[in-house]
Amino acid sequence: MPAAILWLSGQAFSVENMEWNYSSAVELLAALRARDVSSVELTEAAITGIEQGDGVVNAICIADFDRARDAARNADQARARGEDGQLLGVPVTVKESYNVAGLPTTWGMPRYANFLPAQDAVQVSRLKSAGAVVLGKTNVPFGLQDIQTFNDLYGTTTNPWDRGRTSGGSSGGSAAGLASGFGALSIGSDLAGSLRTPAHFCGVYAHKPTLGLAAMRGMTPPPSLALPTEADLAVVGPLARTAGDLTVLFEVMIGPDPLTLGVAHDVTLPPARHDGIRDFRVLILDRHPQIATSAAVEAGVNRVAASLAASGARIERGSALLPDLAEAASLYTQFLFSGSAAKFPVDTYEQLRARADGLSIDDCGLDAARLRGMVMSHRDWIELNNRREIHRHGWRQLFGEFDAVVCPITPTPAFPHDHNPNLLERTLDIDGNAVPYFDQLVWAGLATMPGLPATAIPAGLSTDGLPVGVQIIGPMFEDRTTLRLAELLEQDIGGFRPPQLRTDIGRA
C-alpha cells in the first residue's frame, strides 16, 4: 500500500499507514467490526497525522495521546470479547471548552492554564461511553468570544485551505482539525454560529441542535463549577466530514442532563419528514435586509437550490409566513449582548446605559441593538422574550408550509486573519464593501434566536477556491429532518473534500 502525500497550504509530508485518516466514522466502524483494522492502528495513524500536519494548522491545542492509546487498546479488547458500541474505537477530538478530567480547560484564557477539572463534561462522558477514543482538545478563541480562533495561550488556528485566513470560531480548532484528517468526529458548541461558521469556512459538516436538546454541563468557563443550567441561546453539537457521521454523533449527544432528569438520556424525536428530496418543500433565502451577501455565498445557496429543484423538490424564494428578518436580527443581537456587560465595572455599565438612553427610539440598527442589549433590564428581557415567542409562533406557521429553509451561514467565505484587539474597529469585506464585523452574525442568529435546529453543509467552492457552506434550518425538535436533507444533498452535490490533497488518500 503506497504512502500518500498530503498537502496543507503548500506544505507536503509523507504519510505512512494514514489511508484511514479521511475515512468517515461510519466507514471506520464497519472496518473495525469486520476486523479490517484495529482501533490502535486508527489511533496511531491519527496521532501521526497530527504530529506531522498540525504545525501548519494548529488545530489541536492539547494532545492526550497516551490516554488515547490506552483507550484504543481497551476498545480492541472489548471487540475481541464481542462487545460493540456506537463509536467503539473511533478517534475523535473535543473542543477545548469542554471539561476533560486531567486536562486543562482554559477557554483560551492564559490565567487558567493550570485549571484542571476533576470530572468530564456530560458530552465527553457520552463520547467515552460510546467507545470513542479522545485524541485531545481543539483550539478556541479567548473566552469563546470571536468568529476567529486565536489566543495568547495556544496561538492561532489557520484555515487548512488558506493559512492567511481564519478557520472560524469558536469551534475553529474542531473544524480545521476535521478538514485536516485529525480524527473522524469532533464536538463543539454554538451561540453565534460557533459550530456552523467554522464548518462553512473549512468545508465540513456541523449541526446546531434544537435549544435544550443536548446537555451542556461541563462546557463551562473556568473556574466555574460545572452545573446543570438552561442556556438562553447556546447549544452543544457535533461536527463531522459527512452528513451520515453527523447523525451518528448527534444520536450520541442528545438527551437531558442526568443530574436533572435521571440517568437515561434517550430522547424521542420525530423522524425526518421525508426520505427523498422530491418530497421536500424548501424555502430559499439568499438576501438579508441588514447585510449584503457576497457573490460566492449567493452562488453556494443557488447551487443547493438548483440541486433541490433538479431532484424534484418544491422550492420557493419567498413567503409571507417568514418572520421579519430585520426584527429577528435585532432581537437576536440584543439577546446575544445582554449577558456581555453583566460583570462590567459599575462606571463602565453606567456609561453604556447613558449612551443607550441617548438612542433615538427609531434607531433599529444593529449597533443600537448591541448597546440596548448590554444594558437591558430584566423587565426589558421579559418583553424581548415575548417578542421571541411571537417569532417562534411565526416559524411554526412557516413550517406548516415548508419542511426546511436553506440560507447562508455568514455573508462571505473565510476572511483573512484580523487580530485587532478592538473588535468594534474590525470590519468585514463583502465584495469590496466594508461592514461592521459583528453584523455578519445575523444569518447565524436566524436559527439561534428562536432555538431552531440548523445543519451546516458544504456547498462547493468559491472562485477563489475557498469552501462555501449553507445552513438548513428546520422546525423545532425536528432535527432529523434537516440531518436527512443534508444526507440527501450530499449524494447530489457532493460533500467534504480534503483541502490541497495532491494524491489519492483512499485505500489501495
Side-chain angles (χ1 to χ4, degrees):
M1 186 180 299
I5 302 297
L6 182 65
W7 284 72
L8 290 171
S9 302
Q11 179 171 325
F13 54 85
S14 178
V15 182
E16 296 287 350
N17 299 319
M18 287 173 59
E19 65 271 22
W20 296 101
N21 279 7
Y22 275 103
S23 296
S24 70
V26 170
E27 291 170 335
L28 295 182
L29 285 165
L32 286 163
R33 287 165 182 152
R35 305 295 196 268
D36 291 336
V37 70
S38 69
S39 180
V40 167
E41 290 172 315
L42 295 179
T43 300
E44 289 297 342
I47 291 171
T48 299
I50 293 167
E51 290 176 339
Q52 294 185 355
D54 198 35
V56 176
V57 180
N58 192 33
I60 311 300
C61 60
I62 303 171
D64 198 19
F65 295 160
D66 288 343
R67 291 198 299 184
R69 290 181 171 108
D70 290 340
R73 284 190 289 269
N74 291 337
D76 288 335
Q77 291 166 6
R79 285 203 179 276
R81 295 191 298 269
E83 298 177 21
D84 200 356
Q86 290 167 287
L87 298 174
L88 185 59
V90 175
V92 305
T93 61
V94 171
K95 187 175 181 178
E96 199 274 353
S97 50
Y98 285 89
N99 288 347
V100 177
L103 298 183
T105 296
T106 71
W107 287 42
M109 296 182 281
R111 66 183 178 274
Y112 297 119
N114 296 318
F115 178 72
L116 299 176
Q119 292 184 317
D120 291 338
V122 170
Q123 296 301 339
V124 174
S125 294
R126 288 179 181 171
L127 281 177
K128 292 180 178 179
S129 294
V133 174
V134 177
L135 297 166
K137 303 180 81 174
T138 59
N139 203 18
V140 296
F142 182 94
L144 312 192
Q145 294 176 348
D146 205 342
I147 310 164
Q148 305 174 72
T149 292
F150 67 94
N151 59 73
D152 290 339
L153 186 59
Y154 298 122
T156 299
T157 298
T158 65
N159 192 305
W161 292 82
D162 183 342
R163 292 182 65 187
R165 294 177 186 266
T166 181
S167 61
S170 61
S171 305
S174 289
L178 283 172
S180 304
F182 305 157
L185 302 165
S186 193
I187 58 173
S189 59
D190 194 310
L191 172 69
S194 290
L195 283 161
R196 293 162 286 164
T197 298
H200 158 44
F201 286 175
C202 295
V204 300
Y205 288 82
H207 181 69
K208 184 198 88 65
T210 295
L211 181 68
L213 192 55
M216 294 184 63
R217 178 167 49 89
M219 220 290 297
T220 308
S224 303
L225 183 65
L227 299 171
T229 58
E230 292 185 6
D232 183 41
L233 299 171
V235 300
V236 294
L239 300 99
R241 286 190 295 269
T242 72
D245 281 2
L246 205 59
T247 299
V248 170
L249 185 49
F250 168 76
E251 299 293 347
V252 171
M253 296 184 71
I254 59 173
D257 192 314
L259 288 187
T260 58
L261 290 172
V263 295
H265 69 274
D266 293 335
V267 174
T268 301
L269 296 177
R273 289 189 175 188
H274 310 293
D275 195 49
I277 286 184
R278 67 183 180 277
D279 298 317
F280 274 87
R281 305 160 298 167
V282 182
L283 178 63
I284 306 295
L285 303 177
D286 59 10
R287 304 292 174 88
H288 197 287
Q290 297 284 37
I291 197 166
T293 304
S294 71
V297 169
E298 187 174 350
V301 173
N302 287 330
R303 277 192 292 273
V304 174
S307 175
L308 289 165
S311 297
R314 189 196 105 194
I315 66 167
E316 301 288 345
R317 292 282 181 167
S319 172
L321 296 173
L322 182 69
D324 182 85
L325 296 186
E327 184 182 41
S330 177
L331 293 175
Y332 169 68
T333 300
Q334 290 180 73
F335 279 122
L336 181 64
F337 281 81
S338 64
S340 65
K343 295 184 179 180
F344 280 9
V346 173
D347 56 343
T348 302
Y349 180 82
E350 291 302 328
Q351 291 172 16
L352 291 169
R353 177 176 290 281
R355 286 175 54 197
D357 289 343
L359 292 171
S360 167
I361 194 172
D362 298 321
D363 189 343
C364 298
L366 294 176
D367 281 341
R370 283 186 278 269
L371 187 54
R372 290 183 178 120
M374 286 191 284
V375 298
M376 189 188 307
S377 68
H378 186 55
R379 176 175 177 165
D380 293 337
W381 188 93
I382 290 174
E383 174 57 29
L384 206 69
N385 195 46
N386 288 337
R387 290 166 62 194
R388 171 163 55 185
E389 290 301 331
I390 293 172
H391 274 252
R392 283 176 171 157
H393 180 67
W395 282 107
R396 283 191 290 270
Q397 292 181 306
L398 177 80
F399 286 123
E401 296 294 326
F402 295 94
D403 302 306
V405 174
V406 169
C407 64
I409 296 167
T410 72
T412 69
F415 53 85
H417 299 292
D418 182 353
H419 295 180
N420 185 336
N422 187 339
L423 276 66
L424 297 180
E425 291 180 354
R426 297 184 194 170
T427 59
L428 177 71
D429 184 304
I430 304 179
D431 292 345
N433 297 309
V435 302
Y437 182 74
F438 280 120
D439 285 9
Q440 64 186 295
L441 299 179
V442 296
W443 280 116
L446 190 62
T448 299
M449 186 271 290
L452 302 174
T455 305
I457 67 169
L461 301 178
S462 71
T463 55
D464 294 332
L466 296 172
V468 173
V470 303
Q471 61 181 330
I472 305 169
I473 301 174
M476 185 169 282
F477 295 110
E478 295 195 47
D479 299 59
R480 291 189 177 123
T481 291
T482 65
L483 288 165
R484 177 57 183 160
L485 186 53
E487 292 177 13
L488 294 168
L489 282 165
E490 184 176 31
Q491 299 168 17
D492 268 19
I493 64 174
F496 168 77
R497 64 185 77 182
Q500 303 283 334
L501 195 64
R502 292 288 294 270
T503 190
D504 183 13
I505 201 77
R507 289 178 294 284

